[in-house]
Structure formats: structure tokens, C-alpha cells
Amino acid sequence: MQNRDLATLRMIAQTGSFREAAERLNMTLSAVSMQMKALEAALGGTLFDRSVRPPRLTALGRAAADKAGHVLAAERALRALTGPDAPLTGRFRLGLVASAGPRLLPDFLRGRPGVFPHATFTFHTGLSENLDHQVETGQLDAAILTATGVPAGGLRHRVLLRDRLIRAVPTDLAAEAPFLQFAPSTGIGRLIASALADYPDLASRPRLILDHVATIRACVAAGIGATILPESDLRDLPGQPVGADRALVLSTRLDTPLDGMGDALAALLTPHSVAADATASNAASNSAAMVSRPGASAM
């Protein structure tokens, strides 16, 4: 028994005529007749009284046509789960760099029920390069991370926000005080190391490598050392822009459910204050997707 046979039966029931059903379904009359005979054989019963012209539905035929409507409705609902307008449904793993959580998750958690009512998310923190690799290998469905170059093959990066890098140097800092450098092997660490090259006075200081932003902040606030960090991480500490920024991006695998809903997910993850202050050109730039070239590698 085929669902197309059930659809034909429903059309005959609606029109009361084999011929009109054939016209509406763009079929030949003989094809409709053959379908109905095959359906009767599959069901093991007589659906039409063929002693009259045109044939009329029997009681079994009317009941079958009614039940066929439920089967076809269920088929449409099933197909809608994967159609272009299907809602995001299921459980998804979202990675993020720890420093992004306070800025992005409150708005996301507040808005998620209205935008993705049928989806649930679990969250995992890590370093940018690890998170991007986990998205690439399917360990994560998406991740929020610092972009440092072209995404790996098969990944898409959507910019969520840009953050200025700021150098923070306490007043009267001792000459022997260290430069507090966030782990240089990470995405943001490499951006900081590049910016540091333009400031010999900071680059010449003893280097203290740390992998915890809050610790660096506390040391700078206590006058123990200088640093370069994204503006959002320094918050109320005084500092000067260094002429560079870091981009927080949403990383997704191409042609996955989250990639298909990536623009809506990115909008939900963009802080309201950033979205409200953005100009039209910045908004267009921030929402543009950078798609990797085949074979490109993550930096």
C-alpha cells in the first residue's frame, strides 16, 4: 500500500468521480483505476460499488478515505520536521569560551524559549582552537569562539560581536613588574601577542603566562603587572585601545540543523546592547558568513 494510493482515494471521495480525480491529480483514468484496485487488494476489501456508473464508495471505502486523511496528515507533519520551514527540534551541544558566557548567555537563555521552543541546549566551555575542532569533528553542534583566521574546511563562522583590545598599565608600575599575558597558544592569546609587538615597553617586561582572565584582571587592579585584553574582560579598569580587536564568532558545520538556523541563533546570541548600537553597515558586516575554502585549516 502506497501513500499516493491513499491520496488518490481521498481525491475520489472529495470529487465523487474517478475522472475528476484523475484530472486534478494529472493522471490518466486507467492509472487511477489501477491504483484503486491495488489498494483494494492490499486492504483485502471492496472500496467501490462498481455495479453503478460512476462507481460509488462502499461503507468500507468511506471509512478508508477518512482514515487515509489521518495517515496523509501524519506524513505531512513528518516531512515538515525536515523541511525548509521546520522548527529547530532536539538537543544541541553548544561550546563557548568562558569569557563569552557572562555577555552572551543571559540574553540567549531569556530569548531561547520564544525563538527555539522545541530545542534544548547544553553548554561546554573550552579554548577557541579546541572548540572549533570539536565542532569540525561533531563533538559539538556549534561553538562561540575567537576567530583568528579562515575557518577549517566544512565550517562556517558568523560574527557575533567585535571587542577592542585594550592595554592596561597601572600608574607608576615598577620597571620589573611583569607583562601578564593570556595563554599565547589560544586564539585570543595569538591576537594579544601580535598587538604586543607594537609596544616595546610592554614586550620588554618579564613575561608571566596565565590562562585565567579573572586572575589577570585582579593582578592589574592590584598594580602588580600590565596586560592587553579585550575591553569586555577589563571592564572598569583604565586602559587605551591598541588598534586591534577580537571577533567572537558562531562556528557551525555546513549543512547541519544549527547551520541552517545559524542567522537566528547568531541574532539570539548577539547582546541586545551591541545590536542596538550597531550601524547598518556594521550590522551587515557582523551578520555576513565567512565560509571556508576546501582544504583550509584552522589557525
Side-chain angles (χ1 to χ4, degrees):
M1 177 171 30
Q2 308 260 352
N3 280 8
R4 64 182 181 179
D5 298 342
L6 298 179
T8 302
L9 175 63
R10 287 282 295 173
M11 184 60 71
I12 294 171
Q14 291 169 12
T15 62
S17 165
F18 275 46
R19 186 175 300 279
E20 188 171 348
E23 290 176 356
R24 293 196 184 187
L25 295 172
N26 196 28
M27 297 170 61
T28 65
L29 183 59
S30 61
V32 169
S33 180
M34 289 177 61
Q35 272 193 356
M36 293 305 94
K37 287 178 179 178
L39 185 58
E40 286 177 319
L43 293 175
T46 302
L47 301 179
F48 297 93
D49 178 2
R50 292 181 173 82
S51 65
V52 295
R53 288 291 181 266
R56 288 199 299 257
L57 284 167
T58 62
L60 175 61
R62 289 191 296 273
D66 182 59
K67 294 297 183 183
H70 300 302
V71 173
L72 295 171
E75 180 189 23
R76 289 192 296 272
L78 185 60
R79 291 186 182 280
L81 292 178
T82 57
D85 298 322
L88 187 67
T89 303
R91 189 176 184 88
F92 300 94
R93 299 154 297 175
L94 184 62
L96 71 161
V97 290
S99 60
R103 288 188 84 181
L104 306 186
L105 284 189
D107 282 347
F108 175 82
L109 294 173
R110 186 181 301 112
R112 194 276 310 162
V115 179
F116 300 122
H118 306 295
T120 57
F121 293 83
T122 58
F123 302 95
H124 310 266
T125 57
L127 300 177
S128 292
E129 62 271 24
N130 295 338
L131 294 174
D132 223 18
H133 178 69
Q134 289 170 350
V135 174
E136 183 181 5
T137 57
Q139 299 172 66
L140 293 172
D141 297 297
I144 302 161
L145 49 92
T146 298
T148 57
V150 176
L155 296 183
R156 190 193 313 271
H157 284 177
R158 291 175 172 87
V159 178
L160 301 176
L161 60 87
R162 296 186 182 276
D163 221 354
R164 297 188 302 175
L165 293 186
I166 301 293
R167 59 188 176 101
V169 184
T171 304
D172 301 323
L173 185 66
E176 66 276 10
F179 178 77
L180 307 168
Q181 185 168 0
F182 189 78
S185 63
T186 65
I188 184 61
R190 288 194 288 273
L191 295 178
I192 291 169
S194 178
L196 181 62
D198 294 330
Y199 296 91
D201 58 318
L202 297 181
S204 62
R205 289 181 175 275
R207 202 73 54 87
L208 181 58
I209 306 297
L210 297 168
D211 62 0
H212 196 259
V213 169
T215 301
I216 295 176
R217 255 188 60 82
C219 289
V220 173
I224 293 172
T227 195
I228 294 175
L229 280 176
E231 188 171 20
S232 60
D233 292 329
L234 289 171
R235 294 192 294 279
D236 55 344
L237 292 179
Q240 298 80 38
V242 301
D245 61 21
R246 71 102 173 254
L248 275 178
V249 301
L250 173 67
S251 177
T252 55
R253 285 193 313 285
L254 298 176
D255 302 322
T256 60
L258 278 192
D259 184 57
M261 294 288 185
D263 290 343
L265 182 59
L268 193 56
L269 285 164
T270 302
H272 292 168
S273 58
V274 172
D277 293 340
T279 63
S281 60
N282 285 338
S285 173
N286 284 355
S287 64
M290 301 183 293
V291 182
S292 63
R293 299 185 300 270
S297 59
M299 297 179 65

